[in-house]
Amino acid sequence: MKTISENRCFGGVQGVYTAASEACHCEMTFGLFLPEAARARPVPVLWYLSGLTCTHENAMVKAGAQAAAAHYGIALVFPDTSPRGEDVADDDAYDLGQGAGFYVNATQDPWAQNYRMWDYVCAELPALIGAEFAVDLDRQAITGHSMGGHGALTIAMANPDRFASVSAFAPIANPSKSDWGRKQLGAYLGADEAAWARHDSTLQMQAVGFDGPILIDQGGSDQFLDLLRPEALAQAMAARRQEAAFRMQKGYDHSYFFVSSFMEDHVAFHAEALGA
């Protein structure tokens, strides 16, 4: 692991690091905020998964999460959204390839060699962070925005013993029924839609739900609302009697102005679940 930068931030340290990834067969970069409390003891972890076209840096700089995380004594992890490099497969479109990993393990060429973001986020990066930093991996929560909200919800429902809580900002909530999903899941996983189900939070909510609290914020003026299909997930949560809050925020769009407006709420929500 190499240190790219470390900056003092709300009494703690906002770092950027890179390490060779066995899962993705390339160098992967991630951001990690450690609060001052980590000097005394291992601290709980909140994962933030970013959306299409983003890197580790977008949320790290724009989401405004560090102040609340410092207050509650929580570490923040900002993974990248895909493998990167000259030898990594890419596409001319913004919504496929580099910057658009969709948090799946690709099985189709040319993506299968590198695009194993599920393994990277669920196994490899937690092991690295647990070995190198003062974090308590017995207390984890996860959140994300757009494509990252999709990833947060599906990863949490597949790993209920790992995450105390999950939240999302404008998640791609029903990708198997949306143009933001069918294209990517088909490219990465193939034409058999049965293989897509574990990566559709609406279908997973119907099948298994989540043994913990969920918070979802959706902008009422989101320019991508029809692609996100939040109503499908809301209906699935209601039908399952899931412990959850779904909030339609009037006038807000899909941008980081929306995310930063409600980030403090989300960190507080996870802090309560984590006992922080």
Side-chain angles (χ1 to χ4, degrees):
M1 190 185 75
K2 300 176 183 177
T3 300
I4 303 302
S5 63
E6 289 184 331
N7 297 95
R8 190 77 166 152
C9 182
F10 293 102
V13 176
Q14 176 62 66
V16 177
Y17 310 92
T18 186
S21 167
E22 292 185 6
C24 298
H25 295 98
C26 65
E27 289 285 320
M28 294 291 289
T29 302
F30 64 94
L32 173 69
F33 171 74
L34 279 178
E36 187 174 15
R39 294 183 178 184
R41 63 188 182 279
V43 295
V45 179
L46 175 58
W47 294 79
Y48 183 101
L49 305 186
S50 291
L52 288 167
T53 75
C54 292
T55 69
H56 68 282
E57 188 175 29
N58 296 72
M60 189 180 79
V61 174
K62 297 180 181 179
Q66 289 91 340
H71 174 75
Y72 291 108
I74 295 174
L76 299 169
V77 185
F78 304 100
D80 203 346
T81 57
S82 78
R84 297 182 190 273
E86 292 183 2
D87 296 329
V88 175
D90 200 5
D91 191 90
D92 290 337
Y94 76 95
D95 58 353
L96 189 68
Q98 296 188 34
F102 246 73
Y103 304 101
V104 303
N105 284 340
T107 60
Q108 307 298 302
D109 291 333
W111 316 106
Q113 172 69 15
N114 301 103
Y115 284 75
R116 303 190 62 82
M117 289 300 294
W118 182 279
D119 284 353
Y120 177 70
V121 170
C122 291
E124 186 176 34
L125 187 54
L128 175 63
I129 290 172
E132 297 288 342
F133 299 97
V135 296
D136 182 358
L137 294 182
D138 289 331
R139 293 193 291 165
Q140 296 185 67
I142 190 167
T143 187
H145 173 226
S146 193
M147 180 185 72
H150 139 80
L153 289 165
T154 55
I155 287 172
M157 283 188 273
N159 298 275
D161 294 336
R162 178 177 299 181
F163 299 103
S165 51
V166 58
S167 71
F169 301 86
I172 302 175
N174 192 196
S176 64
K177 300 294 183 182
S178 167
D179 288 344
W180 266 5
R182 294 190 63 83
K183 173 183 177 179
Q184 294 86 352
L185 296 178
Y188 295 142
L189 303 178
D192 182 4
E193 295 189 19
W196 304 359
R198 71 184 299 215
H199 300 292
D200 186 311
S201 58
T202 295
L203 298 182
Q204 287 302 98
M205 179 56 62
Q206 294 168 349
V208 299
F210 180 66
D211 187 19
I214 297 176
L215 172 62
I216 296 176
D217 275 314
Q218 172 63 60
S221 296
D222 193 316
Q223 60 271 44
F224 305 114
L225 201 55
D226 290 341
L227 292 168
L228 302 172
R229 291 181 52 79
E231 69 282 356
L233 179 57
Q235 290 168 4
M237 290 192 299
R240 193 173 185 86
R241 308 295 192 266
Q242 172 69 44
E243 178 188 2
F246 180 96
R247 309 191 302 190
M248 185 66 75
Q249 302 290 4
K250 183 178 180 180
Y252 285 87
D253 59 18
H254 199 71
S255 71
Y256 266 94
F257 295 110
F258 157 64
V259 173
S260 62
S261 295
F262 300 100
M263 179 55 74
E264 186 176 352
D265 288 357
H266 284 242
V267 176
F269 163 79
H270 292 296
E272 181 177 0
L274 291 166

